[in-house]
Structure formats: structure tokens, C-alpha cells
Amino acid sequence: MVSSLFFYSWWNPVYLPLILISMVFNYVIGTSLTKNDNHSKVSRKQLLTIGVVANVGLLAYFKYADFLITNVNFAFDTELSPLNLVLPLAISFFTFQQIAYLVDAYRGETEEYDFLNYGVFVTFFPQLIAGPIVHHKEMMPQFATLRSKVLNYKNIACGLFMFSIGLFKKVVIADTFAIWATNGFDHAETLTLIEAWATPLSFTFQLYFDFSGYTDMAIGAALLFNIKLPINFNSPLNSANNIVLEKKKAI
């Protein structure tokens, strides 16, 4: 956990207290939900609501406070000074991951682990910055088992292989598409028919291989520590509408 926090704070240590406070807050709420104390003055549903609202409020403050001020100034001709907030690194990922943890705790799908294990669950550096967002029940047993604390050469080999694939997707494929997309959107004054199609498609593939590459690198890096992250980037552009499919079958 200390290594992951050092990794997180390397970009800007100013936001280290933010993630620590968020972890302590959600750990307290989550353990309170797990205890299922019927004599408490605050119901479990109220406790969950407090936790979710606090997390979403923190995220909304950093993401939309300046946006709201700008629109208020425009709509009412005021001169409110913007806060000039810099979005803390990975705030969306660790916030939604902890909201999922609170919901799991409310449903009784979590066990009580110590704060150290919970801290690793939130800050585990392979997936902290860019995901994937994981569930408590998927990760906590892996951190607690002794088998995760010994060298596994098969996992190391598979992890390096997956990491290499992800790195290739990011550096070679995504960054190449990024050049074409940037030229079309930012530099070109006029576009031919082919260029007009190639530019947005390049941006689409840039985003796809960016996130797909990051996910593969996260899975590979986690395998070096005998931790298996879920594969959650399974061809998102191929999703189909089940209702439409069922209607076609009926016809």
C-alpha cells in the first residue's frame, strides 16, 4: 500500500491526503454496513446514502465546480472567480471503486478485512490510475491468501506477455492513430472525403486502443504479484441490443 501511495503521489503529492481521507471515510462506512447493527440510530440504507452522496459530491466538486461557475457567470452576467481546480489523478477510478465497495457491503457481500488490506484494494497501483474498476469480492480474497505472496514464474511470464501486448497497443497503435486524428482535427484547414472519414475513425481507434492497452498493462502488471484482474474490455464496440435480437428471432 505504501508503494502504491508513493506511486500515486509522484505526480503531485498535494492530493495524497485526499485519497487517504477518502479511504478512511469509506472504510469506516463499509465496516459499519458490514456489522449490521440493528440498534444504531442511523439505518443501513441511510448510511449507504451518506457514503454514496459524499463520494459523488467529492467527485462533482473537482470535476464540475469551475464548469458551474463559468455557466453562472455567463447566464447571470456575474464575475465569480473560478477555483482553477486541477482534477486529482485517478479520482474517478478510486471513487467509483469505493462506491461499489459500499454497495457490496450493504448487500452483505463483503467480509471484514483490516485497513491495510482495504488500502491495497483501493490503491493497488497496476489498476489505480486507469482501471479496471474492480469489486471487493474479486480482489480481497486474493490479497489475503498466502499464495499471492510467493513467486509464481508462470504468472510472471504471462504478466510480462500481457503487459507487452498492452504497451504495443498504446505506443504503436494508439499513438499512431493519435497523429492522424490530431492532424485532421487541429491542423488541417480542409479535408477530402477520405480524410473526413479517416479523422474521426482514427480518433475512435485511438481511444479504443488507449483504454484496451491500459487494461492489458494493468492485468499484466497485477499478474507479477499473483493478482488476477478481471478482463473487462471485451470488444465494447460490438455490443448488441438484446431486445432487437429477440424480435429478430421471433420474426
Side-chain angles (χ1 to χ4, degrees):
M1 186 180 77
V2 171
S3 299
S4 294
L5 289 173
F6 176 79
F7 170 80
Y8 177 80
S9 62
W10 183 263
W11 175 64
N12 193 342
V14 172
Y15 294 113
L16 180 59
L18 180 68
I19 191 174
L20 288 173
I21 293 171
S22 176
M23 286 163 52
V24 172
F25 172 80
N26 284 286
Y27 179 74
V28 171
I29 297 291
T31 51
S32 300
L33 289 170
T34 304
K35 290 177 182 177
N36 194 17
D37 187 2
N38 295 324
H39 302 289
S40 175
K41 295 181 180 179
V42 181
S43 69
R44 297 178 72 249
K45 184 173 288 187
Q46 290 174 329
L47 201 59
L48 175 65
T49 302
I50 292 171
V52 172
V53 169
N55 279 285
V56 173
L58 179 68
L59 182 62
Y61 170 74
F62 281 101
K63 273 201 165 187
Y64 302 114
D66 282 331
F67 174 77
L68 181 62
I69 291 173
T70 302
N71 282 276
V72 168
N73 287 338
F74 178 78
F76 300 102
D77 197 24
T78 56
E79 295 183 358
L80 299 175
S81 300
L83 301 175
N84 296 320
L85 296 172
V86 178
L87 191 66
L89 191 65
I91 187 172
S92 297
F93 291 100
F94 70 71
T95 298
F96 286 123
Q97 182 157 312
Q98 292 187 101
I99 289 176
Y101 160 71
L102 294 181
V103 174
D104 288 344
Y106 175 77
R107 293 174 176 173
E109 298 176 355
T110 64
E111 298 179 20
E112 286 193 62
Y113 291 92
D114 58 38
F115 181 73
L116 185 62
N117 278 325
Y118 178 76
V120 176
F121 161 68
V122 176
T123 65
F124 188 48
F125 77 88
Q127 51 86 216
L128 171 63
I129 304 301
I133 296 173
V134 293
H135 281 280
H136 179 275
K137 60 185 177 182
E138 295 173 321
M139 304 303 296
M140 295 302 285
Q142 296 190 69
F143 291 130
T145 182
L146 291 175
R147 287 180 296 178
S148 296
K149 299 175 175 63
V150 297
L151 284 176
N152 185 317
Y153 294 104
K154 180 181 178 181
N155 283 345
I156 291 175
C158 291
L160 292 174
F161 178 71
M162 284 295 297
F163 190 90
S164 300
I165 291 176
L167 189 63
F168 180 85
K169 286 180 179 179
K170 172 66 181 78
V171 175
V172 178
I173 303 178
D175 287 359
T176 300
F177 279 116
I179 296 172
W180 300 338
T182 302
N183 287 336
F185 282 118
D186 297 342
H187 303 311
E189 295 183 1
T190 58
L191 297 174
T192 65
L193 176 63
I194 296 177
E195 290 171 341
W197 275 98
T199 297
L201 287 175
S202 295
F203 183 65
T204 300
F205 286 117
Q206 176 197 346
L207 287 181
Y208 176 85
F209 285 105
D210 258 338
F211 286 107
S212 179
Y214 287 142
T215 301
D216 288 348
M217 285 189 281
I219 293 171
L223 275 176
L224 300 179
F225 301 93
N226 299 321
I227 301 298
K228 295 182 179 179
L229 297 178
I231 299 175
N232 70 338
F233 209 83
N234 189 16
S235 300
L237 300 180
N238 290 340
S239 61
N241 188 316
N242 291 329
I243 297 177
V244 174
L245 291 176
E246 289 300 324
K247 287 183 178 179
K248 287 183 177 179
K249 289 180 182 178
I251 294 173

